Amino acid sequence: MHDEDVRFAVLGPVRAWRGDTELDLGQPQQRAVLAALLLRKGAHVTLDGLVDDVWGETAPATSTRLVRTYIYRLRLVLGRAGSGHIRSVGGGYVLEAGPRRCDLTRFGHLLSQGRAARTGGNPARAVGQYAEGLALWTGTALAGVPGPYADAQRTRLNELRLSAQEERLACAVALGRYDHAAAELAALVTEHPLREQLRELQMHALYGAGRRAEALSVLRETERLLRAELGVDPGPGLHAMHRRILNADPSLLPPVPAAPGAAAPLPAPARPPAAPAQAGAAARPMPVPAQLPHDLVHFTGRAGQLDELSTLAGQAGRSMVVAAIGGTAGIGKTALVVHWAHRAAGNFPDGQLYVNLRGFDPTGTPVPAGTAIRGFLDALGVPAAQIPADHEAQTGLYRSLMAGRRMLVVLDNACDPEQVRPLLPGSAGSMVLVTSRSQLAGLVARDGAHSLTLDLLTPQEARDLLARRLGARRVAAEPASVGELIDLCARLPLALNITAANAAAQPAFSLAVFAAQLRQDHNRLAALDTGDVTSNARAVFSWSYRTLAPATARMFRFLGLHPGPYITVPAAASLAAVTREQARTALDELARACLLTESSPGRYTCHDLLRAYAAEQSGVHDSPAEQHRVARRTLDHYLHTAYPAARLLAPAREQLPLSPPGPGVLPETLADSQQAWYWFSTEHRVLLAALAQAETRGMAAEVCQLARPLGVFLEHRGQWHDYRAVRTSALAAARCLGDLAEQARVHRQLAHLSLLVRAYPNARSHLDLAIELYRCLDDPLGEANTRHGLALLLDRQGRYRAALDQARQALPLYRASGERRGQAGILNAIGCIHARLGNHRQALDSCRQTLELHHGLDTEDFEATSLDSLGHAHHHLGHHRQAIECYHRALDLFRRDRHVLHQADTLTRLGETHRAARDPESARDAWEQARLLFQDLQLPDAEQLRLKLLELRSSKPVRATARTTLPAHSL
């Protein structure tokens, strides 16, 4: 893709795409900077102006630097040419976005076209233009973007959206589309109750739809609301509309205007005639059923899903609308639907029908569609004697009675599309809400249902739920316990409600007591047992489990033994010792049953309570020996995929042998370092969980084995906290095994980490222990590697002659071992130390010897280190052009290797050379890149570089030294 392809969206969350790929725009303040530039439409914005836009009067002292950082990061993401390029202009910035590259520009164009068509007497065309423009909105404008500028623009843009909605609905009324307009206006009036223009339109639409009494009641309701809220009376517009309706003003229902060029006027949609009475039956009014279950007093959250249902309801006047609400057991499907149905009941004046189809039920027997239809016919007032015996005739009668009426039908807990289809009305006007643990893909594909899948509550929604059930004061008093309860309940509404009910019954108990009960994995589901089979977490899960085919049920149980948090198809195949095709089939069936979620293509997950239930079922149905084989296959899969992947990332690293994988294990094959990096990036959380699981099971050898490749990736990625935890686990496991070689190796790796975070005493302690162990093992190569690390430590401490002594002791040990890579690495170190001591010619010779040794070896990473050192030597000899060339070659290799730390180190040295060559702009660019990398790595060098950048701007020396020492590659 080219930079010219960048396009932007602000009518909802601020987003950007290059072609079909969405770009990561970073944290909210960074998006605020982008939004401020975008909405200025190519106008110049000063740096101070951007600070005011993002923070206003609360700007931090570092705000100017932060804005520059955000601009730098946005440039990296958006590109440096074409649409989306941010140019520096006169102490500020300009965003070059093409006229068609932002949804706001497109919306403005369509709005202008709609207004022109409306003014020109073509409301049909205007409706289309307004609708196309409004379809660009995906939520609240600038959603999630902070700052006073975004707040002001959000208000302006949302008012513009509301005006467009009003104008579109006014055109719809002019076209005689009264039912449709009245339904949409009901939702808008609920959202904006004080907006009189909406209520005036609502009166007109209701009157046109034949609902005169409702239209007249709008004025009374508005008077009551405005007096209570504002102490004022409605304006003259509403009173005038009220009088016109009372007087049956014929101009309120004019002939529908024809579109220019149309052969005949567009007729206003008439309400379809009601179904004829059955032969021999006296005509009588149909009753208005109200079958909804009671609404939940404590319902909370789901604002987005409620809005989505309201939007769909607005389409019911044009067609019959079906919404299929899916999600796992206990996710709150019924609660959402019932709550929304009560809220929207006024939009369906002909009543609400409800049936629990018991697709997933303790009885195990779903309600037949025929039984449900007969219940509906009863509710619609059909005498039993007039209900046909034939099922198809019953369906026909049901649909005839529904024709021309606006009704809400709730089909709760459906098992499959075949159970639902006979219950769907056959004509426009009504809305059907279907809930199911199955995805009902057939209903979406064949019947045009709109799919809406519920996820777990957000942490804030979960906290709000507990606050509504337990009281805000009790929740605020124990924030840590509340957070733990939310995590232990997996943010599942059923579990949260059960826990809240238990806590409400014991108001004197601390919430920490209930968290402690749930904290015990073996007791968590028992703690969520209410004694009521319909609200018992274990029982509710069981209704889905027992519908599974045997092979799928077996896969589900085994997933409870997987370390989590997600699993891929290849890993599932090894887990269950089946083919990948069989694994995908089972995982897809579990996803259709909403026992798993396919969070991304080929990657599946489930919440912790379902995982606990799966493990519990495995304990019931699978023997301990089978469970051990599952754990063994799981570890084998990750070990035998991670080892080759680590070799692709770091071919020069020491590789230890693995025993062959067990029967049924199908490791993944990775072709190159790019695939290896992607695999580690997506699987490292699973690998960390697998290592923790192996540690818990006492599998010390496997802990050591898995820590090796995982450590390689974590080092490349700069995830030092995880790196320390992994290496510490490996050291404990090696001690448990009595494996001295492994202990020595891990001590070297922990020394490497201590060196990076400048914990030099810890580094020395680990290195001394490693040397002692290698001497006990009579391992000259291990001792050489450790002395290499000791030279690096001494170099960092400024003890250059001691560092040179250690490096010279390591060189003969490498030669005696025949280790060419080690010889190259230590010669490179010797060259660097000579440079520190001012022996630049000797440094140059050593670095050149290093590069010669690399020829014929597959050691791009070491070659990059040598080029970096060679650049350092050239720098000190004043050969700035050669130094810059060496640094750039090293950077190319480090970037290919994806080693972030080495990139940052080399960029720091490159900045030094640019400054020495009197090129402060290039120095600033290199140091800013390095500072951001160090900041992402959470290393103290970021602060040192900040001081250097200040020095560069002020031209005053600052006492600070960023890392310009030996690369930490040898460890």
Side-chain angles (χ1 to χ4, degrees):
M1 288 293 170
H2 303 289
D3 291 330
E4 290 76 7
D5 292 328
V6 177
R7 54 191 172 86
F8 300 93
V10 296
L11 303 179
V14 175
R15 303 168 72 187
W17 296 263
R18 182 177 287 111
D20 294 328
T21 303
E22 184 165 3
L23 306 177
D24 182 0
L25 297 179
Q27 59 182 278
Q29 285 81 6
Q30 187 167 305
R31 291 171 186 262
V33 170
L34 175 61
L37 293 170
L38 264 176
L39 294 178
R40 271 15 184 277
K41 299 181 180 178
H44 172 260
V45 189
T46 66
L47 182 60
D48 289 342
L50 287 173
V51 169
D52 289 339
D53 288 346
V54 178
W55 291 284
E57 297 180 356
T58 62
T62 58
S63 57
T64 305
R65 179 169 59 83
L66 286 171
V67 169
R68 286 198 178 103
T69 299
Y70 298 148
I71 293 290
Y72 170 76
R73 289 175 173 169
L74 286 169
R75 283 171 169 167
L76 290 180
V77 172
L78 300 175
R80 294 182 175 269
S83 177
H85 171 44
I86 300 174
R87 289 190 298 113
S88 297
V89 178
Y93 303 95
V94 171
L95 174 64
E96 296 179 344
R100 293 188 166 188
R101 308 312 296 171
C102 183
D103 60 353
L104 177 58
T105 305
R106 175 68 176 154
F107 174 69
H109 175 68
L110 290 166
L111 185 57
S112 297
Q113 286 188 329
R115 286 171 173 170
R118 185 185 181 198
T119 304
N122 190 349
R125 175 173 171 77
V127 165
Q129 298 296 324
Y130 286 127
E132 187 177 349
L134 289 167
L136 297 171
W137 288 73
T138 60
T140 301
L142 307 175
V145 176
Y149 180 77
D151 289 342
Q153 291 299 312
R154 192 161 27 243
T155 300
R156 177 182 72 85
L157 292 174
N158 289 333
E159 175 62 30
L160 196 62
R161 179 190 192 184
L162 185 55
S163 296
Q165 290 171 316
E166 283 179 341
E167 292 167 27
R168 180 177 66 85
L169 289 167
C171 290
V173 168
L175 290 168
R177 300 172 184 173
Y178 302 118
D179 286 314
H180 166 72
E184 285 202 45
L185 284 161
L188 280 173
V189 166
T190 301
E191 191 175 350
H192 307 279
L194 302 178
R195 196 172 179 97
E196 292 185 43
Q197 188 174 351
L198 282 176
R199 289 185 176 268
E200 186 178 337
L201 267 175
Q202 184 184 30
M203 291 174 72
H204 193 169
L206 288 169
Y207 177 67
R211 296 153 67 181
R212 183 171 180 270
E214 291 178 66
L216 293 171
S217 71
V218 171
L219 178 62
R220 293 193 299 274
E221 181 187 345
T222 308
E223 284 177 333
R224 178 187 54 76
L225 181 67
L226 290 177
R227 287 168 183 167
E229 295 287 335
L230 304 176
V232 298
D233 286 324
L238 274 173
H239 284 289
M241 179 61 69
H242 190 263
R243 285 194 300 272
R244 292 172 70 190
I245 292 172
L246 281 173
N247 297 329
D249 184 346
S251 67
L252 288 175
L253 301 174
V256 178
L266 177 69
R271 186 180 179 105
Q278 294 293 304
R284 60 184 177 278
M286 182 190 295
V288 179
Q291 294 188 321
L292 293 177
H294 69 86
D295 195 5
L296 291 179
V297 177
H298 302 296
F299 184 89
T300 188
R302 305 295 194 198
Q305 291 82 359
L306 291 169
D307 288 346
E308 190 170 345
L309 289 174
S310 295
T311 300
L312 288 174
Q315 303 171 15
R318 298 193 302 270
S319 62
M320 190 268 296
V321 173
V322 181
I325 296 90
T328 191
I331 202 72
K333 301 178 291 295
T334 300
L336 169 75
V337 165
V338 170
H339 179 72
W340 181 86
H342 277 283
R343 203 169 80 170
N347 296 333
F348 300 94
D350 295 319
Q352 313 97 45
L353 297 171
Y354 172 89
V355 63
N356 181 355
L357 294 174
R358 303 191 184 282
F360 300 85
D361 191 76
T363 65
T365 306
V367 173
T371 302
I373 286 176
R374 285 192 295 276
F376 285 170
L377 292 175
D378 287 340
L380 293 170
V382 180
Q386 295 179 15
I387 296 178
D390 181 71
H391 290 320
E392 288 188 11
Q394 291 172 5
T395 301
L397 176 59
Y398 162 66
R399 288 177 174 160
S400 297
L401 291 171
M402 294 291 288
R405 291 181 168 81
R406 290 186 58 81
M407 297 192 72
L408 183 61
V409 182
V410 178
L411 308 178
D412 196 14
N413 199 8
C415 63
D416 56 41
E418 295 307 316
Q419 188 188 26
V420 169
R421 285 193 180 104
L423 302 172
L424 300 179
S427 57
S430 293
M431 183 173 184
V432 181
L433 304 178
V434 187
T435 72
S436 179
R437 299 186 194 181
S438 173
Q439 289 182 341
L440 300 180
L443 204 66
V444 174
R446 177 176 152 185
D447 301 281
H450 299 267
S451 179
L452 195 161
T453 302
L454 297 189
D455 202 348
L456 300 170
L457 295 177
T458 66
Q460 186 57 52
E461 287 175 333
R463 190 173 293 273
D464 291 344
L465 186 154
L466 291 177
R468 294 194 71 168
R469 295 293 302 264
L470 300 176
R473 183 176 299 177
R474 188 176 182 190
V475 167
E478 297 185 67
S481 296
V482 168
E484 189 175 8
L485 282 174
I486 290 170
D487 290 341
L488 291 169
C489 289
R491 293 183 278 122
L492 186 72
L494 173 65
L496 286 164
N497 276 301
I498 292 172
T499 299
N502 291 339
Q506 300 287 351
F509 285 20
S510 165
L511 296 180
V513 172
F514 301 99
Q517 292 174 356
L518 289 171
R519 203 178 298 128
Q520 305 171 42
D521 283 346
H522 67 277
N523 193 44
R524 193 180 305 186
L525 291 174
L528 297 173
D529 188 345
T530 63
D532 177 1
V533 71
T534 62
S535 59
N536 176 317
R538 182 186 284 117
V540 169
F541 295 156
S542 73
W543 306 340
S544 294
Y545 172 72
R546 65 174 180 237
T547 68
L548 301 175
T552 308
R554 175 176 179 267
M555 176 67 80
F556 177 71
R557 296 196 303 272
F558 287 177
L559 290 174
L561 307 177
H562 183 265
Y566 38 73
I567 192 167
T568 60
V569 172
S574 294
L575 176 88
V578 297
T579 67
R580 290 181 182 173
E581 291 75 12
Q582 291 170 324
R584 180 177 290 281
T585 298
L587 293 173
D588 285 345
E589 184 178 337
L590 289 170
R592 285 194 296 273
C594 292
L595 289 169
L596 283 183
T597 300
E598 191 172 7
S599 54
S600 60
R603 190 174 302 277
Y604 299 80
T605 187
C606 67
H607 59 74
D608 289 346
L609 293 176
L610 269 175
R611 192 183 303 280
Y613 177 73
E616 185 178 88
Q617 291 304 302
S618 180
V620 172
H621 297 283
D622 304 314
S623 68
E626 178 66 12
Q627 291 182 317
H628 178 77
R629 285 192 292 270
V630 171
R632 180 69 260 175
R633 286 195 300 267
T634 302
L635 275 173
D636 272 359
H637 175 86
Y638 291 118
L639 277 171
H640 285 272
T641 307
Y643 262 68
R647 190 176 298 116
L648 288 167
L649 290 184
R653 294 296 176 90
E654 179 183 9
Q655 300 293 332
L656 300 178
L658 275 180
S659 56
V665 177
L666 299 170
E668 297 174 60
T669 303
L670 307 172
D672 52 32
S673 61
Q674 186 172 356
Q675 288 188 14
W677 182 263
Y678 178 78
W679 184 84
F680 269 122
S681 298
T682 54
E683 295 296 306
H684 73 276
R685 288 179 60 199
V686 180
L687 297 175
L688 289 168
L691 187 140
Q693 188 180 76
E695 196 171 13
T696 302
R697 292 174 178 267
M699 303 169 78
E702 288 77 5
V703 170
C704 292
Q705 290 172 339
L706 191 53
R708 292 170 196 154
L710 183 52
V712 169
F713 169 74
L714 294 173
E715 178 192 350
H716 277 56
R717 186 80 169 261
Q719 291 182 219
W720 307 121
H721 176 77
D722 289 334
Y723 183 91
R724 183 192 301 277
V726 166
R727 295 307 189 197
T728 302
S729 294
L731 183 59
R735 285 171 174 161
C736 180
L737 293 168
D739 187 336
L740 299 184
E742 186 65 19
Q743 290 177 49
R745 187 180 299 107
V746 178
H747 276 303
R748 277 175 42 220
Q749 292 157 346
L750 287 170
H752 169 54
L753 175 60
S754 299
L755 199 61
L756 290 175
V757 298
R758 301 185 179 183
Y760 297 144
N762 286 348
R764 183 61 189 252
S765 174
H766 284 299
L767 289 168
D768 287 343
L769 286 168
I771 286 177
E772 182 179 340
L773 287 166
Y774 281 127
R775 283 179 168 172
C776 288
L777 292 163
D778 192 20
D779 183 347
L781 178 57
E783 183 181 346
N785 285 330
T786 310
R787 292 197 180 279
H788 192 163
L790 195 50
L792 176 57
L793 170 62
L794 293 165
D795 175 83
R796 292 284 170 88
Q797 293 175 307
R799 299 168 60 190
Y800 301 131
R801 296 199 179 281
L804 188 59
D805 179 61
Q806 288 295 329
R808 284 172 170 164
Q809 288 186 58
L811 183 57
L813 293 171
Y814 278 125
R815 285 173 173 158
S817 304
E819 175 53 49
R820 290 183 64 193
R821 290 188 181 91
Q823 292 175 54
I826 203 64
L827 281 169
N828 180 66
I830 289 170
C832 286
I833 298 168
H834 274 307
R836 307 279 187 276
L837 294 168
N839 306 326
H840 302 303
R841 293 290 174 189
Q842 290 170 281
L844 212 55
D845 289 342
S846 291
C847 291
R848 283 171 175 158
Q849 289 180 58
T850 300
L851 284 174
E852 288 173 7
L853 275 169
H854 284 310
H855 291 321
L857 295 175
D858 183 16
T859 55
E860 276 191 356
D861 45 357
F862 280 102
E863 183 180 351
T865 304
S866 300
L867 284 165
D868 177 270
S869 301
L870 191 59
H872 191 59
H874 277 303
H875 168 86
H876 283 285
L877 287 169
H879 303 161
H880 298 144
R881 183 179 58 78
Q882 294 96 320
I884 290 169
E885 181 183 347
C886 287
Y887 286 142
H888 278 296
R889 287 171 62 193
L891 277 171
D892 288 342
L893 293 172
F894 283 141
R895 283 169 178 152
R896 190 184 310 170
D897 188 40
R898 293 183 173 82
H899 207 304
V900 179
L901 175 61
H902 289 171
Q903 292 175 46
D905 280 337
T906 301
L907 283 165
T908 302
R909 286 186 275 278
L910 177 60
E912 294 282 5
T913 303
H914 278 307
R915 184 171 67 167
R918 300 176 185 268
D919 184 357
E921 286 300 318
S922 296
R924 181 181 292 111
D925 187 53
W927 281 346
E928 183 61 25
Q929 290 182 59
R931 188 189 68 80
L932 291 172
L933 293 174
F934 280 129
Q935 183 174 287
D936 289 342
L937 294 170
Q938 299 180 358
L939 290 176
D941 304 74
E943 175 61 17
Q944 298 295 329
L945 279 170
R946 187 185 71 81
L947 295 174
K948 279 185 170 291
L949 286 163
L950 284 175
E951 173 189 340
L952 199 62
R953 280 194 290 271
S954 65
S955 299
K956 296 177 182 178
V958 177
R959 289 185 61 82
T961 305
R963 187 205 323 265
T964 55
T965 49
L966 295 178
H969 210 80
S970 59
L971 293 178

